[in-house]
Every structure is written in C-alpha cells, then in structure tokens.
Amino acid sequence: MTTLMACSDSAVKHRQAERDFDYLDVAQVEPLVIPEGVKPPNTSNEFNIPSPQPDGEPLLGGAVDVRSPVQIIPLIAGSRTEKTDKGLVFWFDILQSETAEETSETIMQLVTDYITYRNSSVDERNDEQAKIASNWLIDEEVIEGGWFTRDKTLEQRQKFTYQIDVKPHGRTAGLTVDFVDAEMYRDGSDLPLQLDEFDKERLAIVELNRLIGYVSERREALEAELVAKRESERLAVMSEAEKEQLFDETVSLVLVEDGGASYYRARANMEKTMKRLRLVLPIAGFTITDYIENSGSLFLSYDRPPEDVLESYGLASMEFEEKDYLFTVGSNGNVTQITLADAEGVILKPSEVKGLYPYLAILMKMGLDTSDSLSR
C-alpha cells in the first residue's frame, strides 16, 4: 500500500534529505587552552563525535542513504488526497460524467492509455473490481554527479496495480497505486538493488504522481470526449424534425435599451421562443411556476443551480438574486419581446437585465434540448 511520507521523529525521517552535507566542510575546532592556575570550566562529552572503529565501515556524508522527500503533487484543480485503510487515494472530479459506471469505465480506459503511453501493456484487467495491473514499466534515470564524479544511470523495471474508486454520485474518481515488483540496476550492473518497504512505498507514490500528471494533461480532452459521446448518443435516437429544431439558431436574444429600460428581443415567433425558453430557463436555475398564455405572463422562481451544472454550460460566473420573477412575453409575429419584472410586476433595473443577458443568450442560441421537452 502507498503511504505518504511526512516529516516525523521516526527512523524513516533520517532516510529523506532535509538539507545538505555542509557539515563535512566545517573546520576542526581546536581544544580550549586553559592557562596555568586557572580552573577549567565544566565540559560535557555529549556532543563529541566518536572516531570510526578500525574494523567498521562508517558511512559519511553523501554515502549515507538519504533521499529527497516524496509527496503527492495535486496538479488537478479541486483534487485532494486521503489516507485510508486501502492506502493513499487521490480524488478528483470528472464534471461531465453522469453516473458512477461511466466514470469507472472512463478512468479504467484512461489508466490503460497511460500504461500504453509508458510503452508497456496491461497484465490483468478486472472491470468488476475496477482494477488494472501493469506489465514491466521500464525507465532509465540519469543521476548527475559532482565536479569530480561522473554521472550515474539507474535502470528501473517496475510493476504496479491501479485501483479506481468512484463516489456514489458518479462525478468523483479516486486513484490508488500499489507496488507489485521492481528491479533496479545501477550503472549497468547485473545485480539488482535491494529494496525494502520504505523504497517500495516511495516508488508507489512516484508512480501515482506520474499518473496524476498524465490525467492532468488529458483531463480537458476527456471532458470534451464525454460531451461528444453523450451528444452522439442523443442524436442517434432523434428524428430529423427534432434535429432540425435542435440546431435552429434563429431563436437568439438581443439586448434592447430603450428610454432607460432594458428588455430582450428574440428573433423568432412566439411559439418557437416559448418552446426554447421552457428548455433553457430550468438550466439557468429558473423554475416555471405558472404560465398565462393569453397575457404571455411567465411566473418564475429562481434558485442558483449546483456549481457543476453552471460550469458545464459556462454559467459559473452568473449572479442573480434568488427570488420570484415575472417574465412577460409578447410577439408581433416574427419577433418576440421579453420583459423582466419582479413578482409584484415592477420592471427590473437595466443593470439586472444586462447582468442576466449573456447567460440566457448563450443558452437560447445553443438550442439545448431533451427528448421529453421536444414534445412540449
């Protein structure tokens, strides 16, 4: 299991470099000379450095087994790391995913792609347990030497298992990397380095960081792929008439400012405009509580939608007061006018109308739709 290494007073701490070996260059301090007849001060041997034993092989400075600390690098915005009984889990969101099954399948494929990217292959894949085991991942690392020492090479052959966990709501995925096996050779030696549990834990964390980096680079494309896949599936079951309505961009809004008042004008007739409004208003957070057709009165209640919904439609920055509203919709046949007021019928200030305009304009032009709303 992977374990995050943190500074502590344990023996493990002393195998991770904290500073450097400057102490090796410190000049020897000469013993204090006490003049004759002067009482010497009290001294202690507590900090005396013992001399090496003749038959021992003491390790000094750079020969001591110390490494740089390792920790999870959160390259993905909004991610977090959790230490559990199963090990260290890296959690991150897939905003465009709708179900736990979809997220699990997506991340399983992503890990498979990562192993291929590392010029290796999958040794075992268990979709039911959402777990993948890799074959040998081979890397060669050059360790830089000093002024008087040559560079050293370190060949690494490693195997890991990758466990995928998904939160019940389906949009948050967790990654855990477990060490399986490794062979490490220094400078072309035929004898592999001996690895203990500390080494294995570090290797698993390093591998998890590599995987996080790959996911971070692929995440934007992954979200786009999910949107495209969902759109393709939706279009596959739509009739030609439904597709024609979906991609009809004539229902677009224009902001009109007239005599100190502001309102919207839709470049479509009343029927088409109302049909599109019924689709997009709920996405923006408006619940239609009533509609009086002969007066064009559309009674609404506004509650800010969840952030992930707003982000998915590019509405994350939308700010609108949560209360009841009255939209009045009227048409001259080819053009439709929409006036915004509060629940008492008081026309909204131009600043409020302007503030909401970019978001409704985006949704009205996109022609977002669902199969059940098309029948309205």
Side-chain angles (χ1 to χ4, degrees):
M1 293 295 180
T2 58
T3 304
L4 181 61
M5 293 295 142
C7 291
S8 68
D9 291 329
S10 66
V12 170
K13 169 185 175 181
H14 304 296
R15 297 184 63 182
Q16 295 187 154
E18 292 185 49
R19 294 183 177 84
D20 49 39
F21 301 109
D22 290 345
Y23 69 88
L24 292 177
D25 299 325
V26 176
Q28 178 67 40
V29 178
E30 296 296 331
L32 182 64
V33 178
I34 308 298
E36 185 176 351
V38 177
K39 183 179 178 181
N42 294 329
T43 59
S44 171
N45 296 325
E46 181 179 0
F47 299 105
N48 286 359
I49 300 177
S51 300
Q53 298 298 319
D55 56 350
E57 295 183 1
L59 298 176
L60 301 176
V64 178
D65 181 18
V66 291
R67 334 296 164 72
S68 59
V70 292
Q71 59 184 6
I72 299 302
I73 304 175
L75 296 176
I76 300 176
S79 61
R80 64 185 179 87
T81 304
E82 179 184 11
K83 188 175 182 180
T84 69
D85 294 338
K86 296 188 297 182
L88 202 64
V89 184
F90 180 78
W91 295 103
F92 63 99
D93 292 330
I94 302 295
L95 297 176
Q96 295 298 336
S97 183
E98 292 187 340
T99 65
E101 291 75 16
E102 183 178 46
T103 298
S104 181
E105 293 173 2
T106 299
I107 303 303
M108 286 284 284
Q109 185 58 51
L110 194 61
V111 172
T112 301
D113 294 343
Y114 164 76
I115 294 174
T116 303
Y117 165 77
R118 293 286 304 279
N119 296 317
S120 185
S121 59
V122 172
D123 182 51
E124 184 178 353
R125 173 170 173 153
N126 189 319
D127 290 275
E128 185 175 344
Q129 297 181 5
K131 194 171 187 177
I132 293 177
S134 75
N135 279 308
W136 289 111
L137 303 170
I138 302 175
D139 299 286
E140 188 174 278
E141 179 182 0
V142 177
I143 305 174
E144 295 184 0
W147 285 100
F148 303 104
T149 59
R150 65 181 181 81
D151 293 349
K152 297 179 180 180
T153 59
L154 181 67
E155 181 182 333
Q156 305 177 79
R157 297 163 49 85
Q158 305 168 73
K159 288 184 178 182
F160 299 96
T161 58
Y162 309 85
Q163 178 69 56
I164 291 90
D165 293 297
V166 181
K167 294 291 187 181
H169 58 70
R171 293 185 303 277
T172 302
L175 290 172
T176 303
V177 174
D178 293 329
F179 175 90
V180 175
D181 195 6
E183 296 177 358
M184 304 179 71
Y185 304 89
R186 191 184 298 275
D187 284 340
S189 172
D190 293 333
L191 297 176
L193 301 176
Q194 296 300 312
L195 304 176
D196 57 19
E197 290 304 314
F198 174 70
D199 297 311
K200 297 173 183 178
E201 290 171 351
R202 288 175 60 87
L203 289 174
I205 294 175
V206 171
E207 176 63 12
L208 179 54
N209 276 330
R210 286 174 174 160
L211 179 56
I212 291 171
Y214 181 82
V215 173
S216 176
E217 292 180 357
R218 285 286 316 278
R219 188 163 178 250
E220 184 175 342
L222 176 64
E223 297 278 8
E225 289 170 9
L226 286 174
V227 172
K229 176 184 176 183
R230 189 167 295 115
E231 183 70 5
S232 177
E233 292 172 348
R234 186 160 68 99
L235 291 176
V237 297
M238 291 175 63
S239 67
E240 291 303 317
E242 290 171 335
K243 291 179 183 178
E244 182 179 352
Q245 177 181 326
L246 176 63
F247 294 106
D248 181 2
E249 293 189 0
T250 61
V251 187
S252 56
L253 292 184
V254 175
L255 176 64
V256 180
E257 299 178 84
D258 184 13
S262 297
Y263 58 89
Y264 305 144
R265 180 180 293 156
R267 297 170 178 172
N269 61 28
M270 182 79 164
E271 180 183 1
K272 186 178 289 187
T273 301
M274 280 302 304
K275 197 167 190 177
R276 186 63 58 81
L277 279 173
R278 287 179 178 273
L279 294 173
V280 304
L281 286 173
I283 295 172
F286 291 93
T287 300
I288 300 175
T289 57
D290 195 11
Y291 174 54
I292 302 176
E293 186 173 0
N294 59 2
S295 63
S297 299
L298 194 60
F299 294 89
L300 306 164
S301 177
Y302 176 71
D303 291 295
R304 184 174 176 83
E307 291 301 318
D308 58 332
V309 174
L310 292 172
E311 288 178 2
S312 65
Y313 291 104
L315 311 178
S317 60
M318 186 175 77
E319 295 293 341
F320 208 62
E321 187 177 352
E322 296 184 351
K323 63 179 183 180
D324 294 337
Y325 292 92
L326 170 62
F327 286 13
T328 302
V329 186
S331 177
N332 64 1
N334 296 320
V335 177
T336 303
Q337 179 175 309
I338 306 170
T339 304
L340 282 60
D342 61 18
E344 285 70 40
V346 178
I347 302 300
L348 297 186
K349 298 177 181 178
S351 60
E352 295 178 279
V353 178
K354 292 178 185 178
L356 181 62
Y357 171 70
Y359 308 100
L360 284 187
I362 289 173
L363 294 176
M364 292 288 281
K365 185 176 181 180
M366 288 172 65
L368 300 170
D369 215 336
T370 59
S371 57
D372 60 340
S373 62
L374 282 168
S375 62
R376 294 177 183 176

